[in-house]
Amino acid sequence: LLPARLYVRFAREGTATSSTGAGSAARAGAGRHRGVLYGSLSSFLSVTAMAVMFPFMQVRRDALGCDALCQGGQTSLRSALTLVGAAVIGRASDRVGRVPMLWVGTAASLASIVISLCSDSLTGMWLAVVPAALLNQNFSVCKALFSDYIDEAGGTDADKAGAVGKLGMAVGFSFMVGPI
């Protein structure tokens, strides 16, 4: 999530004041647009990686004998943990910061992939669901990050809607591109 770190830098540069008001406003707009681009790109890459992994995980579950009840259980577990994780990570991102929580989400996704690839049992497949489902709330945290920095840069509600729309477009596009 290096782009998220760059987003912070560009957003802060964009909010810097200078003796020329027009120059400061132009830098704020440029920083905001770069931040939205980098944040959307990082979300695109993260979701594309997940979309690429889904078919392989299905083949692994089938090979390990995971039937419909097992798959439904994993989906239910993922949903329940995501519900709990959204509240936990949301509060943590308010207290600790947005960028550290983006890093936590990325590390959780990596841990899930490693657990899944290193396990040769259904128990390992079940354990692989937990870190990413509980801690990877990067889409919501990225939306909050965009909102924070657009507010700091003096943006409008239309700017926020545009930034979140671009983030949603990046995620939707990654779901289309990932399986290809």
Side-chain angles (χ1 to χ4, degrees), residues 117-137:
L117 293 177
C118 292
S119 68
D120 290 332
S121 68
L122 282 177
T123 303
M125 294 296 286
W126 279 85
L127 290 175
V129 170
V130 175
L134 190 60
L135 300 174
N136 188 359
Q137 307 295 326

Side-chain angles (χ1 to χ4, degrees), residues 55-71:
F56 295 112
M57 296 290 88
Q58 182 62 44
V59 170
R60 296 236 18 234
R61 282 192 297 263
D62 290 344
L64 293 172
C66 186
D67 59 0
L69 182 62
C70 174
Q71 290 178 15

Side-chain angles (χ1 to χ4, degrees), residues 90-133:
R91 172 125 340 162
S93 75
D94 290 339
R95 292 184 180 178
V96 176
R98 311 272 189 234
V99 175
M101 290 299 103
L102 289 172
W103 282 106
V104 167
T106 302
S109 293
L110 182 62
S112 286
I113 290 170
V114 168
I115 291 168
S116 178
L117 293 177
C118 292
S119 68
D120 290 332
S121 68
L122 282 177
T123 303
M125 294 296 286
W126 279 85
L127 290 175
V129 170
V130 175

